[in-house]
Amino acid sequence: CLAGAAVADVYQIDNDEALTNIGVPGGPITWGNAFETTDTMLENIAFGLGINQGGTMVGSEMAWEVFGSQQNNPSFLTSLGGGLHTIENDAYWDNGNLDVIDVNIDLTGYSWFFIVGSYNDTTGTTFAAAQASNVTFQSWAAVAPTPADIAGGALIDDFGLPGTWVIRGNVPAPGAICLLGLAGLAGRRRRG
């Protein structure tokens, strides 16, 4: 189980300190982080997913997309890849498991890029986006149903939700590691 050589969180701006889980109960949320490009190949992306008070999100489908950009602003984006993903892990602040998606996306020519997810809550009890406590002004959100809607979103700080989404890139793929030990947006604090 020697995976120390595996690339881990080349793109990570969250500090992994629990703050809250955020979502739009009964509606869609699109959330994403902007990253400054330092490595031109993005091999995988990962989301720390929140909770569903009425059951579980595991098995539900979320959309994801990676966009190229020249700045930390979602107004001028180029889609580099996207798809649908069946959620395998939620309740990130309880179990620490990221949902990893293999992507193999070339970031050449883009000084910034965005990793974006979208989830439509049909139960009215879901808080899909895990948020850490540090403030970096690189996390964006929109009350909207598709990753492309991030272009009309705003910094979460502007919604009164300072912090950073738990979204990362180039994390080790599952099995490659042993256990390593907006108006309308709502948050649910983690119980201590």
Side-chain angles (χ1 to χ4, degrees):
C1 192
L2 294 174
V7 175
D9 299 328
V10 168
Y11 293 109
Q12 177 181 348
I13 55 176
D14 70 272
N15 62 3
D16 208 28
E17 291 182 5
L19 179 58
T20 191
N21 300 291
I22 296 172
V24 181
I29 181 175
T30 290
W31 72 107
N33 281 350
F35 297 91
E36 194 162 7
T37 305
T38 58
D39 185 329
T40 57
M41 278 308 294
L42 188 62
E43 297 174 4
N44 49 48
I45 59 176
F47 292 83
L49 292 161
I51 57 164
N52 183 338
Q53 294 172 318
T56 179
M57 283 190 293
V58 172
S60 296
E61 200 168 66
M62 67 175 283
W64 64 269
E65 197 157 356
V66 175
F67 298 96
S69 181
Q70 299 303 337
Q71 56 187 327
N72 177 16
N73 185 319
S75 297
F76 302 98
L77 301 176
T78 301
S79 179
L80 301 177
L84 297 175
H85 172 72
T86 301
I87 297 170
E88 299 170 356
N89 300 288
D90 54 16
Y92 177 74
W93 295 126
D94 292 331
N95 60 39
N97 293 328
L98 293 164
D99 236 41
V100 181
I101 305 165
D102 290 328
V103 295
N104 290 317
I105 292 175
D106 187 355
L107 302 172
T108 302
Y110 297 98
S111 55
W112 287 79
F113 69 96
F114 287 71
I115 298 174
V116 183
S118 292
Y119 182 81
N120 189 23
D121 172 24
T122 58
T123 65
T125 56
T126 301
F127 298 84
Q131 183 193 20
S133 61
N134 58 315
V135 180
T136 65
F137 297 96
Q138 288 178 229
S139 291
W140 300 77
V143 181
T146 67
D149 291 319
I150 199 73
L155 286 166
I156 61 174
D157 307 84
D158 295 341
F159 290 120
L161 301 166
T164 306
W165 302 128
V166 180
I167 300 175
R168 302 173 186 171
N170 282 351
V171 297
I177 56 172
C178 294
L179 290 177
L180 297 174
L182 325 56
L185 285 178
R188 178 181 180 271
R189 299 279 174 197
R190 181 182 182 221
R191 294 181 193 166

